[in-house]
Amino acid sequence: MRIIIVGFGNLGRGICKAFVEKADFLRKVHGLVPKVVAVADEFGAAVDENGLDLPQLLKTAESYKTVARYRGGRRGKLVLDLIDEVSADLVFELTPTNIKNGEPGLTHIRRAMQAGKHVITSNKGPLVVAFKELDSLARKQGVEFRYSASVGGAVPVIGLAKKLLSANEISEIRGVLNGTTNYILTRMSAEGVPQEIIIREAQELGLAEKDPTLDIDGIDTACKITILANAVLGMNAKLSDVKVVGIRRITPEATRLAQEAGQMIKLVGIARRDLLEVAPKLVPLGHPLAVGGTLNAVTFKLDLAREISITGFGAGPRETSSSLLGDLIDIHRALGG
Ligand code: HSE
């Protein structure tokens, strides 16, 4: 499979590291040989029709902060040219989320589909702004489109809902869907440390969004709720349909008092056909949503299965590469591989 990667931050590098680490596994177990033929970041691109040397590319990106310094690399805004001109089967669109207009990811995804290339993305912006359009465009163009990493990090929330629970009508999805705020709330309650200090740590760990106010103000969770509403509940929801309150006003003292009362404060997102909401809520200790650290947790309310909960790591480059790589294997299978 010939692959173009657009965006080479934590997640772009994470998937390349996974390709290197799991090359034998992918070939032996799945008959999949990923060949990365082009990578673009905000400063330039590296291209090799025969496949880039990934360890070398990763070293270059770490040292010079751009892949343009890879041998034969070029500087400039080259993404659309690469998508049009480089011979490839699939594009990973991994640029940061822009909730205003989904750009530049939206244009990258449209262009890749128009060029007949399959698309995998973690980017919430295009999904929030234009989910229906992209879903239809993929069908029209006969290309595969996957976005598992956009919700839940490593936790297979979308795949579980759309595939394994497909016999059920889902009446509600309720979840702790932001690893950064969960990490902050957990540290605040355990150590009484103020938010600002922990936010910096979350950034260093590669958990937080490029703009961490998206995490803190609940917008990242609201994006995930919008994606779930559209992709799983079949709604036609916009981000502005979600009532949002973030965690700015939560103090260490509040988290301590909650704990003394046998509760935890969690930033909870709810997707129901009559309600889309994100807000800090009290969750009893021992409840499936009472998870700590960077964990995410989701509970589905279902007509047949009644209730199913799932938990796991909701952020972090290595963990999220599980979903990105899972999408790639899924497409490989869908194509008969
Ligand atoms: N900033 C997000 C989080 C990354 O903390 O959950 C995963 O979507």
Side-chain angles (χ1 to χ4, degrees), residues 13-155:
R13 291 173 205 190
I15 188 77
C16 279
K17 287 178 190 162
F19 285 151
V20 173
E21 180 182 329
K22 297 184 75 77
D24 285 350
F25 169 85
L26 292 173
R27 185 173 41 76
K28 285 189 196 139
V29 176
H30 296 290
L32 174 63
V33 181
K35 187 183 274 192
V36 181
V37 290
V39 173
D41 61 25
E42 57 188 314
F43 305 110
V47 184
D48 187 337
E49 296 275 348
N50 297 316
L52 295 158
D53 174 345
L54 296 183
Q56 192 55 45
L57 183 79
L58 286 161
K59 260 193 225 150
T60 307
E62 294 294 339
S63 311
Y64 299 105
K65 309 289 170 232
T66 174
V67 297
R69 294 286 293 268
Y70 181 87
R71 60 175 179 267
R74 285 178 287 155
R75 286 193 174 268
K77 299 256 174 254
L78 304 164
V79 177
L80 297 180
D81 294 342
L82 294 184
I83 289 174
D84 288 342
E85 288 161 20
V86 173
S87 158
D89 305 297
L90 183 141
V91 174
F92 274 98
E93 210 297 328
L94 307 175
T95 62
T97 296
N98 166 356
I99 54 163
K100 291 205 183 78
N101 57 13
E103 297 298 355
L106 181 53
T107 298
H108 297 160
I109 295 176
R110 280 192 189 123
R111 195 73 163 248
M113 289 178 177
Q114 281 155 356
K117 294 177 166 89
H118 310 295
V119 174
I120 296 173
T121 191
S122 57
N123 189 341
K124 287 157 278 215
L127 295 168
V128 162
V129 170
F131 177 78
K132 285 264 170 342
E133 179 208 317
L134 296 175
D135 195 44
S136 309
L137 183 59
R139 285 172 214 273
K140 180 168 160 254
Q141 294 296 113
V143 296
E144 301 289 335
F145 181 37
R146 300 285 188 285
Y147 38 83
S148 303
S150 65
V151 178
V155 190

Side-chain angles (χ1 to χ4, degrees), residues 124 149-150 152-153 177-181 207-209 215 220 224 296 314-316 320:
K124 287 157 278 215
S150 65
L177 291 165
N178 183 268
T180 302
T181 46
L207 306 173
E209 294 301 296
D215 297 296
D220 175 75
K224 290 163 177 165
N296 278 199
T320 304

Side-chain angles (χ1 to χ4, degrees), residues 194-335:
Q195 290 196 18
E196 306 71 54
I197 296 187
I198 313 167
I199 293 168
R200 251 173 277 138
E201 278 185 40
Q203 282 179 301
E204 278 157 22
L205 290 168
L207 306 173
E209 294 301 296
K210 193 163 186 187
D211 171 6
T213 61
L214 292 177
D215 297 296
I216 307 301
D217 292 330
I219 312 296
D220 175 75
T221 305
C223 287
K224 290 163 177 165
I225 286 297
T226 307
I227 294 168
L228 291 173
N230 291 331
V232 175
L233 300 183
M235 295 168 65
N236 198 0
K238 298 188 297 296
L239 186 57
S240 57
D241 296 330
V242 188
K243 271 182 15 194
V244 190
V245 179
I247 67 158
R248 269 186 209 271
R249 294 171 71 177
I250 308 291
T251 58
E253 177 69 357
T255 59
R256 191 181 57 76
L257 288 172
Q259 201 149 23
E260 281 170 15
Q263 311 260 345
M264 290 172 107
I265 300 175
K266 295 285 152 198
L267 185 64
V268 174
I270 299 171
R272 265 197 337 242
R273 284 179 186 79
D274 63 344
L275 174 74
L276 300 175
E277 185 191 19
V278 175
K281 294 197 186 285
L282 288 170
V283 176
L285 292 171
H287 185 278
L289 295 188
V291 291
T294 62
L295 289 174
N296 278 199
V298 178
T299 296
F300 295 95
K301 286 209 173 122
L302 308 148
D303 57 350
L304 296 178
R306 293 163 44 149
E307 209 165 285
I308 299 252
S309 297
I310 181 172
T311 186
F313 291 98
R318 182 172 167 83
E319 295 84 347
T320 304
S321 70
S322 167
S323 289
L324 294 169
L325 204 46
D327 278 351
L328 185 67
I329 293 165
D330 195 42
I331 290 180
H332 175 63
R333 283 194 190 133
L335 299 176

